[in-house]
Amino acid sequence: MTAHALLSILLAAIALAEPVQYCRYGHQKGEVDFCMGVTTHLNHTTLAHDMYLRMTVTRDSNKGWTAIGTGPEMAGSLMFIVYGDPESGEGPLLSIRTATGHQQPRLLTPTDMGGADLLVLRADWMPVAHPQSHEVRPRRRGTYVAEVAVVCFACSRWPGSPITATTGSQPWIWAWNAAQDDMIYTFDTHLDMHAHHAGNGGWGNFYLDMSRSLSTDVMRPSLPPLRSGVRMLGASDSPIGAEGLVASIRARPLVNTHGILMGAAFLLLFPVGGAAIRSGLGKSFKYHWVIQLVASGFVWAGAVLGVIMSRGGSFATPHQVAGAVLALTLGAQGLLGWQHHVRFIKLRRRTWISHAHIWLGRAAMLGGWANMLSGLVLSGHGRTAMAVGGLMGLEAMVMLAWTWFVKMRVTRVADRDGNPAPSDRGAENGLYFSIGQSEDEEDAEGMAADQVREEKPRKSMSI
Ligand code: HEM
Ligand SMILES: *[C@@H]1O[C@H](CO)[C@@H](O)[C@H](O)[C@H]1NC(C)=O
């Protein structure tokens, strides 16, 4: 093989970029239906990255609009909005806009572009053979695909939320309104809003591995082909890889910190603190209250962030209301725990306060879990919600098993020594001294050890 041939193979490998694509095929189900593909290109003249974008929208109506946009949210997004009447004889409209927040996106002005430049290559309707052509009552309108293609020259210079050709996880958004029937087919027509809230099919996020599509060839690349029937190629519904995860957390610090605090409290700290009180360790009581107090602190901090996030909006969703109630409940829970402790030392037995503390604790834990799931669903993280729900199920089983294990251990110690008086046994194992086989041992806790150990020398636990 000549050096020249080798070199050309090497160069070809370097230039071997693969277009990426993301599609949602919802037309049959009455959901959003679009497909988009991207190729990025290092422009050797401008030394900036150009983005070649192809998009199709399948529809059989003249109502509403379908849009994709760069970035994790509306603000700063470069939006490509498609609408029009397929049977009007006019092509579909590709209206390219941006938004400063949760408002009507507006048309771009030259000053918005920051050196980027847009060129629309095509916008046509293509009729689609109806898949159910033997339908008894054919629809009045046929099904059409709007095909649009655009180049965004020096797109990496877009001054809004970053468009990065080298990233493995570029956030995008999509949004859809299928109902607006007073559309005027001009580029600046007023758009009615998409459906509120994630999971309602009105909007969503997706992520592209832009680096996979990056061509460094001198020649301009061809438009990305859209492979039909393929839902994702170098794309994902969630951030891609560690890079994507970190970026998505940093993109929305308030929401994510809120979620991380709540997750740490309800998935990690509260369960560990609950297990600690039954751990049989000498300091179990201390571990319990310290961990639960820290966890409560996390929840209070998270709740404050939640209130800040709700600024200007309404405070009426079940997630917000239940969250506020939970945050207050944890205060009461702490007071109950402390009162229980004070009385327990005096009386050496449980009172109603003990049971209130135990059951309110369990309820708060379950409430927190439910509210975490609703928060995830509300913010469009349905898949994460499913994974987190699985984790919660697992934790619940471990907690139940742990409770059962501890109970059996105590019972067996009592049985083996033929001693039905659990208080004596407790004195020896430094635990459970006053309640022995009762249902809920958890708060006979370490203080039992502190109180009783000096009465008798401690015997090591044999089980
Ligand atoms: C037509 C005018 C539009 C209006 C009035 C509007 C308004 C809003 C409002 C009020 C929200 C908050 C909704 C909620 O609480 O669930 C929202 C969220 C959202 N919208 Fe729009 N929107 C419009 C167009 C668009 C377009 C064209 C796109 C996409 C290209 C889009 C993408 C999104 C996304 C992804 C979110 C959630 C993420 C976020 O920004 O926090 N919207 N919009
Ligand atoms: C590089 O960018 C310029 C304008 O930004 C464009 O006219 C030219 O076609 C691009 N070159 C290639 C090879 O794509």
Side-chain angles (χ1 to χ4, degrees):
M1 203 183 283
T2 65
H4 182 259
L6 244 174
L7 191 69
S8 55
I9 289 172
L10 250 169
L11 282 177
I14 290 168
L16 197 77
E18 186 183 23
V20 292
Q21 90 178 41
Y22 178 87
C23 306
R24 295 183 79 99
Y25 300 110
H27 185 68
Q28 301 290 327
K29 293 175 277 176
E31 293 170 8
V32 68
D33 194 312
F34 71 89
C35 209
M36 64 86 78
V38 160
T39 297
T40 49
H41 179 230
L42 175 65
N43 186 312
H44 291 242
T45 314
T46 61
L47 293 179
H49 288 116
D50 301 339
M51 179 170 75
Y52 291 73
L53 171 73
R54 196 200 283 271
M55 177 182 177
T56 59
V57 176
T58 304
R59 52 171 13 209
D60 56 17
S61 121
N62 57 355
K63 293 181 190 167
W65 49 267
T66 307
I68 59 172
T70 59
E73 56 178 18
M74 291 176 71
S77 175
L78 178 60
M79 297 170 166
F80 302 90
I81 306 167
V82 176
Y83 45 91
D85 181 354
E87 300 192 333
S88 64
E90 305 278 319
L93 282 99
L94 173 62
S95 175
I96 306 178
R97 308 192 190 190
T98 189
T100 42
H102 289 157
Q103 308 140 2
Q104 174 77 209
R106 55 169 180 78
L107 279 179
L108 296 172
T109 62
T111 53
D112 287 327
M113 299 300 298
D117 197 11
L118 290 156
L119 178 65
V120 176
L121 300 177
R122 81 175 283 202
D124 304 301
W125 293 111
M126 306 293 282
V128 177
H130 205 278
Q132 283 131 18
S133 43
H134 47 270
E135 222 175 17
V136 185
R137 190 165 45 85
R139 295 185 200 183
R140 191 178 61 83
R141 290 177 158 272
T143 304
Y144 293 83
V145 174
E147 297 225 16
V148 304
V150 52
V151 197
C152 176
F153 288 112
C155 216
S156 46
R157 293 188 186 149
W158 168 252
S161 63
I163 302 173
T164 315
T166 49
T167 178
S169 183
Q170 167 73 44
W172 286 75
I173 50 177
W174 61 266
W176 185 47
N177 173 314
Q180 184 178 355
D181 56 7
D182 62 351
M183 301 281 298
I184 301 163
Y185 302 120
T186 55
F187 288 106
D188 62 351
T189 190
H190 171 87
L191 302 176
D192 284 355
M193 203 189 133
H194 48 78
H196 251 284
H197 300 312
N200 284 356
W203 60 267
N205 293 94
F206 61 98
Y207 301 81
L208 294 185
D209 181 353
M210 303 284 271
S211 62
R212 184 157 152 184
S213 81
L214 179 59
S215 155
T216 51
D217 213 344
V218 179
M219 301 292 291
R220 53 160 58 198
S222 42
L223 277 169
L226 293 178
R227 295 176 175 83
S228 69
V230 177
R231 193 152 122 60
M232 292 189 252
L233 211 76
S236 172
D237 286 313
S238 46
I240 303 168
E243 180 193 7
L245 195 67
V246 171
S248 75
I249 289 173
R250 290 175 59 178
R252 316 193 70 183
L254 221 54
V255 185
N256 287 300
T257 312
H258 171 79
I260 288 168
L261 284 171
M262 297 305 192
F266 286 107
L267 290 180
L268 185 71
L269 293 176
F270 281 129
V272 167
I277 198 69
R278 288 167 180 259
S279 66
L281 298 170
K283 289 206 169 84
S284 56
F285 168 66
K286 191 168 177 194
Y287 292 150
H288 174 73
W289 75 257
V290 170
I291 295 174
Q292 304 308 62
L293 196 66
V294 170
S296 303
F298 276 36
V299 172
W300 290 324
V304 169
L305 292 183
V307 170
I308 297 174
M309 277 152 58
S310 312
R311 240 176 352 192
S314 69
F315 202 90
T317 64
H319 177 81
Q320 289 164 310
V321 174
V325 170
L326 263 166
L328 296 176
T329 302
L330 289 176
Q333 177 68 359
L335 291 177
L336 284 173
W338 176 60
Q339 270 307 305
H340 152 77
H341 176 67
V342 169
R343 293 193 180 202
F344 192 85
I345 286 176
K346 237 190 280 168
L347 306 173
R348 304 239 166 154
R349 64 173 173 80
R350 288 182 163 169
T351 58
W352 68 269
I353 292 187
S354 323
H355 296 282
H357 178 74
I358 291 168
W359 285 101
L360 192 63
R362 289 175 180 170
M365 175 85 192
L366 290 179
W369 282 4
N371 222 38
M372 270 192 76
L373 293 181
S374 79
L376 283 168
V377 169
L378 206 64
S379 62
H381 296 86
R383 279 167 176 241
T384 315
M386 267 164 35
V388 167
L391 181 65
M392 288 168 178
L394 199 74
E395 285 193 24
M397 285 195 293
V398 170
M399 296 285 282
L400 281 174
W402 181 239
T403 310
W404 179 80
F405 170 75
V406 168
K407 194 171 148 188
M408 292 316 284
R409 188 171 58 176
V410 172
T411 311
R412 266 196 283 161
V413 169
D415 285 353
R416 188 199 53 202
D417 298 355
N419 187 350
S423 55
D424 291 339
R425 299 261 45 86
E428 282 167 17
N429 64 26
L431 242 194
Y432 314 126
F433 79 110
S434 73
I435 39 167
Q437 301 161 62
S438 91
E439 278 295 302
D440 303 298
E441 305 86 352
E442 63 258 76
D443 49 2
E445 10 103 331
M447 78 182 156
D450 300 335
Q451 307 278 307
V452 184
R453 229 181 266 139
E454 62 249 34
E455 293 171 11
K456 287 186 185 182
R458 182 172 184 174
K459 198 162 83 188
S460 72
M461 254 208 292
S462 47
I463 297 187

